[in-house]
Amino acid sequence: MLLVAGGCTLIGVGAVAAPTATFGVTALVLLTALLWMRPRLSLIAWLLSVTMVPYWVGVSQIVGFVPLAAVLGATAVLSAYLQGWWTPRTIDYAVATFIAGGYLAVAFGGASRAVWLAWITHWLVGYLVARAVGGSCDRDFLVKSFAAVMSLVGLFSSIEFLLSWHPFVSWYMPNRSFALWHPIQPRGEFERSEWAFGHSISLGVCLAMALPFALSMKTSAWVKTTATLAIAAGCLLSLSRAGLLSLFVTLALYVVFSRRIVGWTKVLCLVFMAAFSVSIYDFVQAWIADEADATASTQYRVQMYRELIGSMSIVGQSDAAISVGDQIYFAGYRSIDSAFLFIGLAYGWLFPVVLLAGIAAVACYMIFGSAGSEKRPAAIAILGTVPALSTVTFITQYQILFWFIVGILVNQILGVGRSPNSASIGRSRLPSGPENEYAIGMAESTNGRTDE
């Protein structure tokens, strides 16, 4: 683990100290060699690069800005593919086709090429890490790893807020992402916690998405409770309304679809959570004394939807787009605070419609499926983040982890992911698929040393 942390540090230092990226590439090669044949270590290293390294640390000389997490993720995915851990399935081609389809808007509709490249380096890489690397680990390990890392993020971001200590603001990088994301945003009299995520909303929503994973861990009650409280505290102290709303919605959905909480217990839990959520939200609003900002923010979003939603093209950039230097605004709005709306304005309404159809399919999967929240934390996380998708666009690590969770959900649907005891059990107890045929072979040839 120390070697992994050292490799990540070398890459970051190399990117800062050597713009030519020579040192960074060397460190990346060494890290790839270290992670070869180690899917668990690869997964943890990638999660740490996403959550513990500032978003603006990356490469910007090749195809626009590419964060360190995308570089490491792409390397891990390629390694998994070459080693036979993962073989693309039909749904993977469908996701790739959706992202590749964005180029139609670039080629024929005047859409931004730089933003579309971010679909590849952020969305596709995050999705493929879950499919290729996460799918090569057993499902319990994947859930525990994500929950554990995000609980650390919640703990550290809480400390950041309480001590007014922002450790990453001085991590300078000579790129536009540093200038855009490193400043700490205040709310009222307080400096919001952002940790390595560059924005408190990104931090808050990512923590909210991690909540069902913490609740679904197969571990002792005190570990599960500690992780859940750390995640909730970090989300609360981000002072992000979108994060808090997503947290409350996610928790409510988890209870609604739980197979362990039944009858009047479920009803009482929902009533208590509703009252508690309203109280907490009102307390935060009074605490930060920022009611005017909240009202103005709400009015801004309502007006934005009313004025812009009708200007979308089927495929291509909206006619309301205005170019100012290297920036694109829509009808004078400097910020489009909705993932659905921004994608529709920038690339055409066909793309958010496909996303909405996918979310509707996830809802049907939960409503009509036989398993509960405990077995499907990724589905709960996706449904719980719908309020955030409607009120904030994809930014920094939020977009990476959202698509990572989409990949986890696909793994769950396909039954991909070895059993924790795959080295010692027969073929009949492993899910079918190329990934697990490889797992069986590794188990037989290494006497159980399938990961490390």
Side-chain angles (χ1 to χ4, degrees):
M1 184 61 69
L2 290 176
L3 290 175
V4 174
C8 289
T9 302
L10 285 175
I11 296 174
V13 172
V16 173
T20 59
T22 302
F23 190 66
V25 170
T26 302
L28 184 62
V29 171
L30 294 176
L31 188 59
T32 302
L34 174 66
L35 300 179
W36 191 262
M37 297 294 290
R38 293 178 173 88
R40 289 188 172 193
L41 204 57
S42 298
L43 176 66
I44 293 174
W46 182 79
L47 286 172
L48 291 176
S49 74
V50 174
T51 59
M52 301 294 173
V53 177
Y55 173 74
W56 53 85
V57 174
V59 180
S60 55
Q61 289 88 357
I62 304 174
V63 290
F65 176 69
V66 181
L68 170 63
V71 176
L72 183 59
T75 304
V77 170
L78 180 61
S79 172
Y81 178 77
L82 293 177
Q83 295 175 76
W85 295 348
W86 164 73
T87 300
R89 310 281 272 274
T90 302
I91 193 169
D92 300 322
Y93 290 118
V95 171
T97 299
F98 169 78
I99 293 176
Y103 187 73
L104 295 176
V106 176
F108 304 106
S112 169
R113 179 175 175 269
V115 174
W116 176 72
L117 288 173
W119 289 19
I120 298 175
T121 58
H122 294 59
W123 300 10
L124 186 60
V125 168
Y127 170 82
L128 291 179
V129 168
R131 288 286 292 119
V133 182
S136 303
C137 305
D138 64 80
R139 288 183 290 272
D140 290 343
F141 179 82
L142 176 58
V143 170
K144 288 180 180 178
S145 297
F146 184 51
V149 169
M150 293 307 294
S151 65
L152 288 177
V153 171
L155 174 63
F156 292 149
S157 62
S158 298
I159 295 173
E160 176 188 9
F161 178 85
L162 295 173
L163 300 182
S164 295
W165 168 66
H166 307 288
F168 298 115
V169 294
S170 60
W171 285 42
Y172 174 76
M173 286 291 290
N175 57 42
R176 183 172 174 272
S177 291
F178 171 79
L180 182 62
W181 299 114
H182 92 278
I184 300 298
Q185 289 187 320
R187 169 145 285 173
E189 299 177 356
F190 300 94
E191 291 185 343
R192 304 159 81 174
S193 59
E194 299 179 1
W195 193 237
F197 288 69
H199 200 290
S200 62
I201 294 178
S202 179
L203 170 65
V205 175
C206 287
L207 287 170
M209 290 193 298
L211 183 66
F213 291 88
L215 293 171
S216 300
M217 286 193 297
K218 293 182 179 179
T219 184
S220 62
W222 76 268
V223 171
K224 187 181 298 187
T225 301
T226 301
T228 300
L229 290 176
I231 288 172
C235 184
L236 173 64
L237 295 178
S238 70
L239 302 183
S240 164
R241 289 184 292 267
L244 281 175
L245 183 58
S246 295
L247 184 76
F248 299 149
V249 172
T250 299
L251 185 57
L253 289 172
Y254 190 91
V255 172
V256 167
F257 290 106
S258 174
R259 295 294 187 267
R260 297 177 183 173
I261 306 173
V262 297
W264 281 104
T265 303
K266 178 174 295 190
V267 174
L268 290 175
C269 284
L270 290 173
V271 171
F272 173 77
M273 285 191 309
F276 181 74
S277 299
V278 172
S279 300
I280 287 292
Y281 191 85
D282 290 343
F283 171 75
V284 171
Q285 286 295 103
W287 182 34
I288 63 179
D290 206 15
E291 184 66 32
D293 175 70
T295 302
S297 178
T298 301
Q299 292 176 346
Y300 177 88
R301 287 177 169 87
V302 171
Q303 184 178 357
M304 177 184 64
Y305 269 100
R306 287 176 176 173
E307 294 187 6
L308 296 179
I309 199 168
S311 67
M312 296 181 187
S313 304
I314 299 178
V315 174
Q317 188 170 260
S318 166
D319 294 335
I322 302 172
S323 296
V324 180
D326 61 346
Q327 298 296 305
I328 298 177
Y329 304 105
F330 295 95
Y333 287 88
R334 297 180 62 87
S335 174
I336 305 300
D337 295 337
S338 166
F340 298 128
L341 186 59
F342 177 78
I343 295 170
L345 291 170
Y347 290 90
W349 59 256
L350 178 64
F351 295 95
V353 165
V354 173
L355 284 177
L356 286 168
I359 291 173
V362 174
C364 293
Y365 175 65
M366 287 305 304
I367 293 170
F368 300 108
S370 58
S373 308
E374 297 81 6
K375 298 293 185 180
R376 299 174 175 177
I380 297 297
I382 291 171
L383 295 176
T385 196
V386 169
L389 291 171
S390 304
T391 56
V392 63
T393 192
F394 280 130
I395 55 175
T396 67
Q397 288 97 321
Y398 168 34
Q399 55 191 322
I400 299 175
L401 290 179
F402 176 85
W403 285 93
F404 173 70
I405 292 173
V406 171
I408 295 177
L409 176 59
V410 171
N411 286 345
Q412 292 172 346
I413 293 173
L414 297 178
V416 171
R418 298 195 302 274
S419 165
N421 301 315
S422 60
S424 59
I425 62 178
R427 292 173 182 263
S428 61
R429 293 185 55 192
L430 282 171
S432 61
E435 294 90 343
N436 295 296
E437 290 298 319
Y438 177 77
I440 294 169
M442 283 298 299
E444 293 173 346
S445 62
T446 62
N447 294 320
R449 295 188 72 250
T450 57
D451 290 334
E452 299 170 5

